[in-house]
Structures are given as C-alpha cells and as structure tokens.
Amino acid sequence: MRLDKFLKISRIIKRRTVAKDIADQGRITINDRVAKSSSNVNSNDKLVIKFGNKTLTVQVNQLFETTKKADADRMYTVLDEQYERDFNAE
C-alpha cells in the first residue's frame, strides 16, 4: 500500500494530500530510510513521522484497503511520541 494512502486510512494524517506533502518533503522514514508518498508500506514496518514540533514513531500492524474510524487504530501501534519543545511547561 502507498505511504500516503496508509496514513489517510489509518487516520494518522486526516488528508491524503497533506500526507503526500509531508512525505515528499522528506519528513517520513520507513525502516530508517527516507520515504516518498509513493513508497510501499508493509506489515511490521517502522515509520517515523515528523510533524512541526512532534515526532511520532509507529509500527505497522495490518493493512486494510478501507476501515471504519473505530478500527483504524488496529492498523498501527504507537512506539514513541516526542516533542522538541514542551509549550505546556512554560
């Protein structure tokens, strides 16, 4: 499955165009390799996604062509979530 489609269906990123833009900027890695939006995602892949202040690391569990909102979180497991700067601490 394409990376941008996986991010949309799993609801990690709400819109496929936004997922494509982030991937094509080099802010997503699959198994420690920089990925483009057209890169293939497979089960057991490790994704590292850099949103502005946040870095999210997920493990891909399953791939579904379509899914309901309640089942989307079964597609991945969050391994780590880090923030470069904690705005709540200030």
mmCIF file of all heavy atoms in Angstrom, residues 10-29:
data_model
loop_
_atom_site.group_PDB
_atom_site.id
_atom_site.type_symbol
_atom_site.label_atom_id
_atom_site.label_comp_id
_atom_site.label_asym_id
_atom_site.label_seq_id
_atom_site.Cartn_x
_atom_site.Cartn_y
_atom_site.Cartn_z
ATOM 1 N N SER A 10 -5.364 4.989 8.016
ATOM 2 C CA SER A 10 -5.120 4.744 9.442
ATOM 3 C C SER A 10 -5.474 5.962 10.296
ATOM 4 O O SER A 10 -5.459 5.885 11.517
ATOM 5 C CB SER A 10 -3.663 4.374 9.670
ATOM 6 O OG SER A 10 -2.822 5.472 9.349
ATOM 7 N N ARG A 11 -5.748 7.073 9.643
ATOM 8 C CA ARG A 11 -6.114 8.327 10.293
ATOM 9 C C ARG A 11 -4.994 8.936 11.137
ATOM 10 O O ARG A 11 -5.235 9.673 12.080
ATOM 11 C CB ARG A 11 -7.400 8.170 11.109
ATOM 12 C CG ARG A 11 -8.613 7.960 10.207
ATOM 13 C CD ARG A 11 -9.877 7.666 10.999
ATOM 14 N NE ARG A 11 -11.075 7.706 10.180
ATOM 15 C CZ ARG A 11 -11.482 6.739 9.364
ATOM 16 N NH1 ARG A 11 -10.742 5.660 9.209
ATOM 17 N NH2 ARG A 11 -12.593 6.844 8.686
ATOM 18 N N ILE A 12 -3.754 8.602 10.789
ATOM 19 C CA ILE A 12 -2.620 9.285 11.405
ATOM 20 C C ILE A 12 -2.581 10.718 10.887
ATOM 21 O O ILE A 12 -2.345 11.663 11.628
ATOM 22 C CB ILE A 12 -1.301 8.541 11.100
ATOM 23 C CG1 ILE A 12 -1.309 7.181 11.792
ATOM 24 C CG2 ILE A 12 -0.101 9.368 11.553
ATOM 25 C CD1 ILE A 12 -0.140 6.296 11.434
ATOM 26 N N ILE A 13 -2.822 10.873 9.582
ATOM 27 C CA ILE A 13 -2.971 12.186 8.950
ATOM 28 C C ILE A 13 -4.323 12.175 8.255
ATOM 29 O O ILE A 13 -4.645 11.237 7.529
ATOM 30 C CB ILE A 13 -1.825 12.451 7.945
ATOM 31 C CG1 ILE A 13 -0.483 12.470 8.681
ATOM 32 C CG2 ILE A 13 -2.057 13.764 7.210
ATOM 33 C CD1 ILE A 13 0.718 12.656 7.782
ATOM 34 N N LYS A 14 -5.117 13.194 8.471
ATOM 35 C CA LYS A 14 -6.510 13.185 8.032
ATOM 36 C C LYS A 14 -6.699 13.269 6.512
ATOM 37 O O LYS A 14 -7.637 12.713 5.982
ATOM 38 C CB LYS A 14 -7.268 14.345 8.670
ATOM 39 C CG LYS A 14 -7.223 14.315 10.182
ATOM 40 C CD LYS A 14 -8.407 13.610 10.757
ATOM 41 C CE LYS A 14 -8.500 13.786 12.235
ATOM 42 N NZ LYS A 14 -7.996 12.725 13.018
ATOM 43 N N ARG A 15 -5.813 13.987 5.819
ATOM 44 C CA ARG A 15 -5.981 14.179 4.384
ATOM 45 C C ARG A 15 -4.808 13.597 3.615
ATOM 46 O O ARG A 15 -3.650 13.760 3.998
ATOM 47 C CB ARG A 15 -6.104 15.666 4.069
ATOM 48 C CG ARG A 15 -7.387 16.249 4.601
ATOM 49 C CD ARG A 15 -7.588 17.670 4.124
ATOM 50 N NE ARG A 15 -8.859 18.162 4.560
ATOM 51 C CZ ARG A 15 -9.068 18.766 5.722
ATOM 52 N NH1 ARG A 15 -8.072 18.926 6.565
ATOM 53 N NH2 ARG A 15 -10.269 19.191 6.051
ATOM 54 N N ARG A 16 -5.110 12.939 2.523
ATOM 55 C CA ARG A 16 -4.070 12.287 1.725
ATOM 56 C C ARG A 16 -3.131 13.311 1.093
ATOM 57 O O ARG A 16 -1.930 13.064 0.984
ATOM 58 C CB ARG A 16 -4.717 11.411 0.652
ATOM 59 C CG ARG A 16 -3.732 10.520 -0.055
ATOM 60 C CD ARG A 16 -4.431 9.458 -0.851
ATOM 61 N NE ARG A 16 -3.470 8.657 -1.603
ATOM 62 C CZ ARG A 16 -3.814 7.624 -2.349
ATOM 63 N NH1 ARG A 16 -5.074 7.259 -2.431
ATOM 64 N NH2 ARG A 16 -2.904 6.952 -2.999
ATOM 65 N N THR A 17 -3.643 14.468 0.708
ATOM 66 C CA THR A 17 -2.779 15.492 0.109
ATOM 67 C C THR A 17 -1.768 16.009 1.126
ATOM 68 O O THR A 17 -0.620 16.277 0.780
ATOM 69 C CB THR A 17 -3.599 16.666 -0.460
ATOM 70 O OG1 THR A 17 -4.450 17.180 0.552
ATOM 71 C CG2 THR A 17 -4.423 16.227 -1.648
ATOM 72 N N VAL A 18 -2.196 16.143 2.376
ATOM 73 C CA VAL A 18 -1.275 16.581 3.432
ATOM 74 C C VAL A 18 -0.225 15.498 3.676
ATOM 75 O O VAL A 18 0.964 15.792 3.822
ATOM 76 C CB VAL A 18 -2.049 16.902 4.732
ATOM 77 C CG1 VAL A 18 -1.089 17.219 5.873
ATOM 78 C CG2 VAL A 18 -3.007 18.059 4.507
ATOM 79 N N ALA A 19 -0.641 14.233 3.695
ATOM 80 C CA ALA A 19 0.300 13.119 3.861
ATOM 81 C C ALA A 19 1.318 13.103 2.720
ATOM 82 O O ALA A 19 2.513 12.879 2.943
ATOM 83 C CB ALA A 19 -0.463 11.801 3.912
ATOM 84 N N LYS A 20 0.856 13.354 1.500
ATOM 85 C CA LYS A 20 1.751 13.387 0.335
ATOM 86 C C LYS A 20 2.763 14.510 0.469
ATOM 87 O O LYS A 20 3.955 14.309 0.229
ATOM 88 C CB LYS A 20 0.925 13.556 -0.943
ATOM 89 C CG LYS A 20 1.752 13.570 -2.204
ATOM 90 C CD LYS A 20 0.881 13.800 -3.419
ATOM 91 C CE LYS A 20 1.617 13.774 -4.725
ATOM 92 N NZ LYS A 20 2.908 14.410 -4.758
ATOM 93 N N ASP A 21 2.307 15.696 0.868
ATOM 94 C CA ASP A 21 3.207 16.834 1.026
ATOM 95 C C ASP A 21 4.278 16.570 2.082
ATOM 96 O O ASP A 21 5.456 16.850 1.864
ATOM 97 C CB ASP A 21 2.425 18.096 1.391
ATOM 98 C CG ASP A 21 1.559 18.604 0.250
ATOM 99 O OD1 ASP A 21 1.793 18.199 -0.906
ATOM 100 O OD2 ASP A 21 0.633 19.400 0.521
ATOM 101 N N ILE A 22 3.878 16.026 3.234
ATOM 102 C CA ILE A 22 4.833 15.741 4.311
ATOM 103 C C ILE A 22 5.854 14.704 3.857
ATOM 104 O O ILE A 22 7.051 14.847 4.093
ATOM 105 C CB ILE A 22 4.087 15.286 5.589
ATOM 106 C CG1 ILE A 22 3.329 16.472 6.185
ATOM 107 C CG2 ILE A 22 5.057 14.708 6.610
ATOM 108 C CD1 ILE A 22 2.432 16.102 7.343
ATOM 109 N N ALA A 23 5.395 13.651 3.198
ATOM 110 C CA ALA A 23 6.301 12.599 2.735
ATOM 111 C C ALA A 23 7.274 13.133 1.688
ATOM 112 O O ALA A 23 8.470 12.825 1.725
ATOM 113 C CB ALA A 23 5.502 11.431 2.178
ATOM 114 N N ASP A 24 6.783 13.926 0.757
ATOM 115 C CA ASP A 24 7.637 14.431 -0.314
ATOM 116 C C ASP A 24 8.629 15.489 0.175
ATOM 117 O O ASP A 24 9.590 15.804 -0.519
ATOM 118 C CB ASP A 24 6.789 14.964 -1.468
ATOM 119 C CG ASP A 24 6.083 13.844 -2.219
ATOM 120 O OD1 ASP A 24 6.487 12.665 -2.073
ATOM 121 O OD2 ASP A 24 5.110 14.134 -2.946
ATOM 122 N N GLN A 25 8.428 16.009 1.377
ATOM 123 C CA GLN A 25 9.387 16.930 1.987
ATOM 124 C C GLN A 25 10.490 16.181 2.734
ATOM 125 O O GLN A 25 11.378 16.789 3.311
ATOM 126 C CB GLN A 25 8.682 17.875 2.962
ATOM 127 C CG GLN A 25 7.778 18.870 2.292
ATOM 128 C CD GLN A 25 6.943 19.661 3.294
ATOM 129 O OE1 GLN A 25 7.119 19.560 4.501
ATOM 130 N NE2 GLN A 25 6.026 20.458 2.780
ATOM 131 N N GLY A 26 10.413 14.846 2.761
ATOM 132 C CA GLY A 26 11.441 14.044 3.419
ATOM 133 C C GLY A 26 11.283 13.962 4.924
ATOM 134 O O GLY A 26 12.246 13.691 5.632
ATOM 135 N N ARG A 27 10.067 14.161 5.440
ATOM 136 C CA ARG A 27 9.846 14.158 6.879
ATOM 137 C C ARG A 27 9.325 12.819 7.403
ATOM 138 O O ARG A 27 8.972 12.711 8.572
ATOM 139 C CB ARG A 27 8.878 15.290 7.242
ATOM 140 C CG ARG A 27 9.518 16.635 6.960
ATOM 141 C CD ARG A 27 8.633 17.839 7.062
ATOM 142 N NE ARG A 27 7.494 17.753 7.910
ATOM 143 C CZ ARG A 27 6.524 18.649 7.927
ATOM 144 N NH1 ARG A 27 6.569 19.679 7.130
ATOM 145 N NH2 ARG A 27 5.493 18.514 8.736
ATOM 146 N N ILE A 28 9.299 11.794 6.545
ATOM 147 C CA ILE A 28 8.848 10.468 6.961
ATOM 148 C C ILE A 28 9.902 9.446 6.559
ATOM 149 O O ILE A 28 10.413 9.489 5.443
ATOM 150 C CB ILE A 28 7.493 10.106 6.312
ATOM 151 C CG1 ILE A 28 6.416 11.117 6.714
ATOM 152 C CG2 ILE A 28 7.074 8.692 6.712
ATOM 153 C CD1 ILE A 28 5.075 10.891 6.057
ATOM 154 N N THR A 29 10.216 8.533 7.481
ATOM 155 C CA THR A 29 11.118 7.436 7.157
ATOM 156 C C THR A 29 10.393 6.111 7.375
ATOM 157 O O THR A 29 9.562 5.994 8.263
ATOM 158 C CB THR A 29 12.404 7.455 8.007
ATOM 159 O OG1 THR A 29 12.061 7.336 9.382
ATOM 160 C CG2 THR A 29 13.200 8.724 7.788
#
